[in-house]
Amino acid sequence: MHDLTLCVHHPRVDEDGYASLAVPTHRASTIVYPDAKTFAARKYRGFDGYTYGLHGTPTTRTLEAQLTALHGGVRTVLVPSGQAAVTIVMLSVLMPGDKVLIPDHVYPPVRSFCAEYLAPRGIAYGVYDPLIGSGIADLIDETVKLVWVESPGSGTMEVQDVPAIVAAAKAKGALVGCDNTWATPLIFKPLEHGADFACEALTKYVGGHSDLLLGSVTVKDMALREKMKETLRAFGVGVSPDECQLALRGIETMGLRVAHMGKVSEDFARRLTKSPAVETVLHPALPSCPGHDIWKRDMGRSSGVFSAVLRPVAEATLEAALTALKVFAIGASWGGTRSLIAPMAVAGDRTVNPWTYEGTVLRISIGLEDPDDLWNDLDALLVKLERVPAASAA
Ligand SMILES: *Cc1c(COP(=O)(O)O)cnc(C)c1O
């Protein structure tokens, strides 16, 4: 062989005796075949075979299999973000004339997707009270093909009665999809409670380091997996093995991270209830949180995200107090090692249950810093807000 060929052909090396604990990153666009006959028959390999890098490599399959095992499903489909996990389910099962029901507290971009993408294409959506429970039966007519749940709601933390909603949906032949990002499969397994789709924003706790974007949908019915894979193939959507490798590293420590963050978040939530600057604390582990009893029944453990509703204070005071934080960072996409705080405007996202609190909702995501440093930072914020005389409140 000449040099130019030697540059292109990688020599085979002996892998005998090479046993590593790390999952290799298999990158590929093209998959090659041993002969022309196998190449011609490639489409018969199906979605579990290897045909093209876009449809999976051993690295992406490893992450899929790991999530499938954690959720007790049959297959997992990976997508480039948590938002895509939700939209791929909707795009795969809804046809013009169908309707999807979403909870009032749903991750806001999902509501936008329903309003701005599905509705103009003849797929209707309805919004329901997240605490509706079995009452959802009244909203399910023959056009409703999918009921979406998100429990707890990632901003305002209402815990949904997933088993009751599943029972009502099944009775009317509708599918149920669950955004399980807050709980992770370690705290709640939607498929075991009857849901058809368990979605995770892997961006959050599975990735765990604020450096990747991925989503997953796990199912217990192969036919639903086929539908999603067909949709992804049609759109030309796949995931990067590099992102999956990071997720495979992250998932190894997820158990310890989430357990620690959950303990600290419960502790901080209780402490925050004592501050005069706080109107109420929305944490599933506190009785003041809507759906707390359901959390006790179905989950019993927490991850690191919760919200504090502040008493109304002047915007300028709050902004200055947030900017002065030294350990918490201001940001939205939680689940990493750094603790985050995000002031949220909830009212504009509600159409069923008007949001009646006037103060800002602070969404807090606990990270892995020393809890004393975190509490000192939060306490300094509270002291600033407590000092504001009631008369100057906005
Ligand atoms: C973050 C999040 C998403 C979206 O995940 P991305 O990977 O950022 O698209 C969806 N649902 C919930 C509940 C989330 O917290």
Side-chain angles (χ1 to χ4, degrees):
M1 298 282 189
H2 293 93
D3 283 355
L4 286 181
T5 306
L6 289 176
C7 284
V8 173
H9 285 211
H10 299 291
R12 287 241 163 236
V13 297
D14 190 1
E15 289 186 16
D16 219 31
Y18 175 74
S20 161
L21 293 174
V23 181
T25 306
H26 290 282
R27 292 194 198 88
S29 55
T30 305
I31 305 287
V32 296
Y33 299 80
D35 51 50
K37 204 168 143 222
T38 319
F39 177 70
R42 65 192 182 282
K43 73 171 178 190
Y44 300 108
R45 289 186 172 190
F47 289 122
D48 285 330
Y50 296 110
T51 52
Y52 190 40
L54 191 65
H55 307 314
T57 77
T59 307
T60 65
R61 296 283 159 84
T62 304
L63 180 58
E64 288 173 2
Q66 202 157 359
L67 292 164
T68 301
L70 279 167
H71 271 296
V74 298
R75 286 295 185 283
T76 294
V77 168
L78 296 175
V79 287
S81 68
Q83 169 74 358
V86 182
T87 61
I88 204 67
V89 172
M90 295 187 179
L91 290 168
S92 299
V93 302
L94 298 169
M95 297 293 279
D98 293 345
K99 184 174 181 181
V100 55
L101 298 179
I102 56 172
D104 207 17
H105 67 195
V106 74
Y107 179 63
V110 171
R111 184 192 289 255
S112 305
F113 174 74
C114 292
E116 288 153 28
Y117 188 89
L118 295 182
R121 287 163 178 78
I123 297 170
Y125 74 101
V127 185
Y128 68 91
D129 173 359
L131 301 171
I132 198 168
S134 57
I136 194 134
D138 296 338
L139 303 181
I140 306 178
D141 62 22
E142 65 285 354
T143 65
V144 172
K145 296 290 155 45
L146 179 67
V147 178
W148 197 254
V149 298
E150 179 180 320
S151 184
S154 58
T156 46
M157 312 311 297
E158 301 90 338
V159 185
Q160 297 197 258
D161 192 341
V162 176
I165 291 173
V166 164
K170 296 287 114 160
K172 304 228 176 160
L175 296 164
V176 176
C178 179
D179 185 334
N180 196 50
T181 301
W182 182 89
T184 81
L186 300 176
I187 294 175
F188 190 68
K189 299 184 196 290
L191 303 183
E192 287 184 359
H193 292 267
D196 300 285
F197 302 93
C199 293
E200 306 283 346
L202 306 179
T203 307
K204 307 283 172 49
Y205 287 128
V206 171
H209 295 75
S210 313
D211 57 1
L212 67 87
L213 286 151
L214 273 180
S216 66
V217 188
T218 306
V219 292
K220 56 194 174 184
D221 174 353
M222 285 298 263
L224 295 178
R225 187 263 195 149
E226 297 293 301
K227 277 191 189 198
M228 289 191 292
K229 288 294 276 185
E230 277 157 13
T231 306
L232 290 173
R233 186 159 60 182
F235 277 99
V237 172
V239 297
S240 154
D242 295 277
E243 303 283 280
C244 292
Q245 214 290 328
L246 286 173
L248 284 160
R249 171 183 280 223
I251 203 170
E252 293 182 17
T253 56
M254 177 172 70
L256 284 174
R257 285 186 283 108
V258 169
H260 171 78
M261 291 164 176
K263 261 194 281 185
V264 176
S265 81
E266 289 184 11
D267 177 34
F268 281 20
R270 289 197 183 94
R271 293 201 221 174
L272 278 164
T273 58
K274 303 198 176 91
S275 165
V278 173
E279 181 87 42
T280 189
V281 178
L282 301 171
H283 189 305
L286 298 193
S288 54
C289 187
H292 165 71
D293 288 340
I294 292 162
W295 171 83
K296 259 203 311 211
R297 184 192 70 192
D298 293 347
M299 297 184 178
R301 280 174 298 146
S302 304
S303 65
V305 177
F306 66 103
S307 291
V309 184
L310 299 177
R311 295 247 158 81
V313 289
E315 279 303 309
T317 311
L318 177 59
E319 269 179 33
L322 286 170
T323 305
L325 287 167
K326 293 190 171 67
V327 187
F328 280 87
I330 299 174
S333 190
W334 42 269
T337 58
R338 284 287 304 271
S339 294
L340 297 179
I341 205 158
M344 301 199 310
V346 174
D349 288 327
R350 295 300 157 115
T351 53
V352 175
N353 296 337
W355 186 255
T356 51
Y357 293 112
E358 281 172 28
T360 300
V361 177
L362 285 185
R363 190 177 62 195
I364 295 167
S365 168
I366 300 298
L368 296 180
E369 304 91 339
D370 188 289
D372 288 340
D373 290 338
L374 286 172
W375 182 257
N376 289 340
D377 211 27
L378 264 190
D379 197 41
L381 173 97
L382 294 174
V383 167
K384 289 190 184 98
L385 300 180
E386 286 162 11
R387 247 194 250 125
V388 181
S392 76

